C-alpha cells in the first residue's frame, strides 16, 4: 500500500541552492528506509519537506493522500500530529523530567493527565527507559536521551517516524541500541520509518531499502541495499 | 457530537495551560515583568489624572458655557420698529443661539425688586432712565468676541458686552491642558506597549526551544500564541491595579476637600459614584488592551507563525 508519494520534486532555496532536483519516490506503509548521501546532498532537505518545514519549489509530496506542500501554515499542525520526528540534537527540555518531556507532546494537544499517563509509560517501555522516568535529561547518557526523543516521537502513535541522523552524536555501540529500538517500533507497531544517516555500519547491517542522493538527485534506490552498493560515497 | 464535545474540552485544557504558563512566565522573567508593570502603572496613573482633569474640566466648562451670553443695549431713543429690526438682524448671525428682548420696563421692574432704595429712586424719576436690551447667547466660547463685535457695528447700538476675556481665557487654558495631557498619554501608551512587547519578546526567546518542540509535535498556532497574549494581558492588568486604587482614593479625598472648602465653592466636581467606577473600568481596559497589543506585536514579530 502506497503511503508516501514524491513526484518530480524540486527544492531550490532562496539563495539559489538547488538542494533536491527532480526526485520521484514511492514509499509503502510499514517500510523502513534509509536515505544516505554525502554531506550537502539534500538528505535533510528531503526530510524537512516531509514534515513541511520546507515546501517543494516544484512537484508534489504526498503523505497518506495529503499534499503536504499545499498545506497552509495554519494547518501544518494537523500533519505534524500524525508524524514523529527525531533529530541528531535531541531537543529535550532540560527542566522537565523524562516523563514530562514525553508527556509534553500530548499536553500540547490538550489531552488530559489520566489519558496521557498510560501512553507515556507505554512509549517509554518501548524504548527501554521505564526505570528512568524521574530523571532529568542532564542525568542521562546520549543514547538514553535519544531514546527519550524516540519515545516522545511515537507517543501519539504516528504512522510515520522521520529521523534525521538520530545516531549522529552517538558511539557505535549506543547507535546499535538505538537502531534496535527503531527496528522494534517498525516491526511491532508497523510504523513507517524514514531515516537519513551517514553511518555506514548501520546501513550495511540492517539490510533495508536504501535511497542514495547525490547533489540532490536520486542516484540509487536499492531493496535490501547497503553502503557497498554505492562505493562512490 | 461526542467528538465536538471532546474537542471543546481539549480547547479548554489548552486554554488552562496557556493561562498557567503565562503566570509562570511573569514570575520567571521577574525583573522585566516588574519593569513593564511599573511602566504600565505610571502610564495609567497619568491616564487617570488626565481622565479626572478633563472630565471635570468638561463638567465645569459646560456650566460656564451655559452662560455664554452677550448683553446688548440699544440707544436711548430707539423706536419700537428699530428694536424689532435689531432683534431680527441679531437672529440672522449664524453663531447666535438665541435672542431674548428685554425692554427697559422689564429692567425697571427687575431692578425695583433688588432693593428698596433703587425702588424709590426709580419711582421718583419720570422717564425710565434704563435702556432697551437683548440677551444674546452663542454656541461656543470662541464666538463671543466676533458676535459682540458684529453687533456693535449695527445701527442704534449703545453697547454689546460679554464676560470680556475671562470666560474665553479659562476655556482656552482648559483646552490646552486637555490637548497636552492627551498627547502625553498617547506617547506613554506607545512606550508602554513597546516595553510590554519587549518583555514578551524575552519570554519568547527564553522559551524558543519549547516553542520549537511544540511546533514539531503539532501544537496549533493559536495554542502556541495564547500564553504570550495572556502574559501581555496579565502584565496590563497587574499594571492597572495601583492606578485604580490611587484614582479611587485620590478622587474621593479631593471631592471631599473641595466640596467642604469655602474658597472653592464655585467649582463643583463630578459626583464620585458612577464616575470612579467608569474610570476604573476604563483604566483596566486600557491596561489590558495595551498589554495584549504589545504582546501581539511581539508574537507577530518574533514567533514567525
Ligand atoms: N535553509 C537553507 N537555505 C539555503 N540553503 C540551504 C538551506 N538548508 C540547506 N541548504 C543547502 O542545501 C544543500 C543540501 O542541504 P542538506 O542540509 O539537505 O544536506 P544534507 O544531505 O542533510 O547534509 P548533511 O549530511 O551535512 O546533513 C546544501 O548545499 C545546503 O547548503
Ligand atoms: Mg542533514
Amino acid at each position: 500500500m502506497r503511503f508516501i508519494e514524491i513526484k518530480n520534486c524540486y527544492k531550490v532555496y532562496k539563495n539559489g541552492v538547488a538542494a533536491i532536483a527532480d526526485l520521484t519516490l514511492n514509499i509503502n506503509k510499514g517500510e523502513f528506509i534509509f536515505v544516505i548521501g554525502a554531506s550537502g546532498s539534500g538528505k535533510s532537505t528531503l526530510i524537512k519537506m516531509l514534515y513541511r518545514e520546507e515546501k517543494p519549489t516544484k512537484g508534489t509530496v504526498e503523505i497518506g493522500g495529503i499534499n503536504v506542500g499545499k498545506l497552509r501554515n495554519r494547518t501544518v499542525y494537523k500533519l505534524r500530529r500524525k508524524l514523529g520526528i527525531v533529530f541528531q540534537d535531541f531537543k529535550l527540555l532540560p527542566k522537565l523530567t523524562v516523563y514530562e518531556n514525553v508527556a509534553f507532546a500530548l499536553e500540547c494537544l490538550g489531552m488530559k493527565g489520566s489519558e496521557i499517563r498510560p501512553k507515556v509509560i507505554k512509549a517509554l517501555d518501548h524504548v527501554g527507559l521505564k526505570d528512568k522516568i524521574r530523571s532529568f535529561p542532564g542525568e542521562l547518557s546520549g543514547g538514553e536521551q535519544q531514546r527519550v526523543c524516540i519515545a516522545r516521537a511515537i507517543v501519539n502513535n504516528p504512522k510515520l517516524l522521520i529521523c534525521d541522523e538520530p545516531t549522529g552524536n552517538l558511539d557505535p555501540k549506543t547507535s546499535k541500541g538505538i537502531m534496535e529500538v527503531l527496528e522494534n517500533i517498525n516491526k511491532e507497531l508497523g510504523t513507517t520509518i524514514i531515516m537519513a544517516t551517514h553511518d555506514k555500519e548501520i546501513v550495511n547491517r540492517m539490510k533495508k531499502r536504501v535511497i542514495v542522493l547525490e547533489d540532490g538527485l536520486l542516484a540509487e534506490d536499492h531493496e535490501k541495499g547497503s553502503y557497498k552498493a554505492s562505493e562512490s560515497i | 457530537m461526542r467528538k465536538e464535545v471532546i474537542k471543546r474540552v481539549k480547547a479548554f485544557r489548552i486554554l488552562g495551560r496557556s493561562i498557567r504558563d503565562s503566570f509562570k512566565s511573569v514570575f520567571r522573567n521577574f525583573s522585566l515583568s516588574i519593569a513593564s508593570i511599573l511602566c504600565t502603572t505610571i502610564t495609567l496613573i497619568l491616564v487617570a489624572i488626565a481622565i479626572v482633569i478633563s472630565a471635570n474640566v468638561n463638567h465645569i466648562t459646560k456650566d460656564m458655557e451655559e452662560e455664554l451670553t452677550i448683553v446688548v443695549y440699544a440707544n436711548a431713543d430707539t423706536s419700537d420698529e428699530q428694536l424689532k429690526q435689531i432683534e431680527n438682524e441679531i437672529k440672522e448671525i449664524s453663531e447666535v443661539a438665541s435672542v431674548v428682548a428685554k425692554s427697559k420696563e422689564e429692567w425697571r421692574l427687575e431692578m425695583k425688586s433688588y432693593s428698596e432704595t433703587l425702588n424709590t429712586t426709580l419711582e421718583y424719576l419720570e422717564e425710565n432712565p434704563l435702556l432697551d436690551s437683548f440677551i444674546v447667547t452663542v454656541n461656543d466660547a470662541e464666538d463671543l468676541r466676533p458676535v459682540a463685535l458684529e453687533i456693535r457695528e449695527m445701527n442704534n447700538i449703545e453697547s454689546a458686552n460679554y464676560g470680556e476675556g475671562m470666560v474665553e481665557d479659562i476655556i482656552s487654558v482648559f483646552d490646552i491642558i486637555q490637548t497636552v495631557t492627551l498627547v502625553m498619554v498617547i506617547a506613554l501608551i506607545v512606550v508602554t506597549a513597546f516595553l510590554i512587547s519587549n518583555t514578551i519578546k524575552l519570554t519568547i526567546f527564553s522559551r524558543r526551544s519549547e516553542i520549537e518542540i511544540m511546533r514539531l509535535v503539532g501544537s496549533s498556532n493559536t495554542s502556541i500564541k495564547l500564553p504570550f497574549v495572556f502574559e501581555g494581558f496579565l502584565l496590563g492588568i497587574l499594571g492597572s491595579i495601583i492606578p485604580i486604587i490611587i484614582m479611587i482614593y485620590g478622587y474621593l479625598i479631593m471631592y471631599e476637600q473641595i466640596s467642604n472648602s469655602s474658597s472653592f465653592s464655585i467649582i463643583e466636581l463630578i459626583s464620585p459614584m458612577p464616575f470612579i467606577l467608569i474610570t476604573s473600568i476604563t483604566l483596566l481596559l486600557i491596561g489590558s488592551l495595551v498589554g495584549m497589543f504589545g504582546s501581539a506585536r511581539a508574537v507577530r514579530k518574533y514567533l514567525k507563525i
Side-chain angles (χ1 to χ4, degrees), chain A residues 11-20 36-48 54 88 164-165 196-198 213 216:
Chain A
K11 176 69 201 181
V12 181
Y13 282 110
K14 279 200 188 78
N15 59 3
V17 175
I20 292 286
I36 63 172
S39 188
S41 58
K43 301 184 295 293
S44 296
T45 305
L46 171 60
I47 297 277
K48 281 178 186 163
E54 297 288 350
Q88 177 171 3
D164 195 354
E165 308 201 30
T197 184
H198 271 137
L213 292 178

Side-chain angles (χ1 to χ4, degrees), chain B residues 190-245:
Chain B
V190 171
V191 170
T192 310
F194 267 97
L195 208 82
I196 288 180
S197 170
N198 261 337
T199 311
I200 305 296
K201 174 182 140 188
L202 209 82
T203 317
I204 291 174
F205 193 70
S206 72
R207 291 179 59 186
R208 63 193 181 287
S209 42
E210 200 176 325
I211 293 167
E212 189 191 354
I213 294 164
M214 285 174 88
R215 289 163 85 168
L216 287 173
V217 300
S219 291
S220 66
N221 287 352
T222 319
S223 67
I224 294 176
K225 286 175 192 166
L226 223 49
F228 301 112
V229 176
F230 272 127
E231 190 178 340
F233 180 76
L234 200 61
L235 292 174
I237 295 282
L238 290 176
S240 57
I241 292 173
I242 292 174
I244 287 175
I245 293 172

Side-chain angles (χ1 to χ4, degrees), chain B residues 82-142:
Chain B
Q82 285 169 322
L83 283 174
K84 197 78 208 154
Q85 197 188 337
I86 291 173
E87 186 174 351
N88 286 337
E89 273 181 61
I90 294 175
K91 273 182 182 159
E92 267 164 34
I93 301 172
S94 60
E95 290 89 355
V96 169
S98 71
V99 181
V100 177
K102 198 167 181 182
S103 69
K104 50 187 170 188
E105 202 47 41
E106 285 174 72
W107 276 116
R108 199 166 73 112
L109 290 175
E110 191 178 323
M111 284 202 167
K112 272 183 169 178
S113 67
Y114 283 165
S115 80
E116 204 48 45
T117 357
L118 263 176
N119 190 5
T120 27
T121 321
L122 289 167
E123 288 286 299
Y124 186 71
L125 291 165
E126 265 174 36
E127 280 270 309
N128 184 348
L130 299 167
L131 297 171
D132 288 307
S133 69
F134 301 96
I135 310 295
V136 179
T137 60
V138 294
N139 294 320
D140 229 325
E142 283 109 56

Side-chain angles (χ1 to χ4, degrees), chain A residues 33-230:
Chain A
I33 179 168
F34 286 111
V35 178
I36 63 172
S39 188
S41 58
K43 301 184 295 293
S44 296
T45 305
L46 171 60
I47 297 277
K48 281 178 186 163
M49 285 196 293
L50 289 174
Y51 66 91
R52 182 43 179 75
E53 184 69 15
E54 297 288 350
K55 277 183 186 178
T57 318
K58 231 175 100 184
T60 57
V61 175
E62 263 183 33
I63 300 178
I66 301 168
N67 188 340
V68 175
K70 281 264 157 60
L71 284 180
R72 294 179 162 215
N73 282 340
R74 260 188 304 122
T75 47
V76 167
Y77 75 93
K78 289 180 180 165
L79 169 76
R80 302 265 172 98
R81 286 179 184 191
K82 291 174 185 154
L83 305 177
I85 313 167
V86 178
F87 295 96
Q88 177 171 3
D89 58 330
F90 314 119
K91 300 192 199 296
L92 293 172
L93 295 170
K95 283 184 184 151
L96 301 185
T97 63
V98 166
Y99 178 87
E100 288 163 344
N101 262 290
V102 178
F104 182 78
L106 297 179
E107 280 169 15
C108 284
L109 310 184
M111 267 186 213
K112 68 166 180 258
S114 59
E115 208 177 337
I116 291 174
R117 194 163 180 84
K119 286 178 190 255
V120 173
I121 302 287
K122 198 175 142 223
L124 283 171
D125 195 22
H126 248 290
V127 298
L129 268 187
K130 229 169 118 184
D131 50 338
K132 298 267 178 171
I133 273 182
R134 282 186 188 79
S135 305
F136 286 91
E139 300 162 359
L140 301 179
S141 72
E144 286 166 334
Q145 288 185 52
Q146 192 59 291
R147 283 163 194 253
V148 179
C149 294
I150 295 170
R152 184 179 63 196
I154 61 165
V155 73
N156 200 24
N157 290 321
K159 296 273 177 296
L160 175 63
L161 184 60
I162 301 170
C163 315
D164 195 354
E165 308 201 30
T167 58
N169 277 342
L170 307 174
D171 63 58
K173 193 165 157 264
T174 317
S175 298
K176 205 175 161 212
I178 293 292
M179 291 319 295
E180 277 163 16
V181 168
L182 290 178
E183 193 163 22
N184 251 330
I185 290 167
N186 175 245
K187 277 209 184 105
E188 284 173 27
L189 306 176
T191 313
T192 310
I193 299 184
I194 299 176
M195 171 171 159
T197 184
H198 271 137
D199 199 321
K200 236 179 194 175
E201 252 182 77
I202 289 174
V203 177
N204 285 339
R205 193 180 54 239
M206 301 272 291
K207 301 265 184 286
K208 303 281 185 193
R209 182 175 169 195
V210 180
I211 301 286
V212 185
L213 292 178
E214 248 172 59
D215 293 332
L217 288 162
L218 179 63
E220 293 167 47
D221 183 351
H222 299 283
E223 286 302 324
K224 303 228 162 128
S226 73
Y227 239 118
K228 285 205 185 75
S230 44

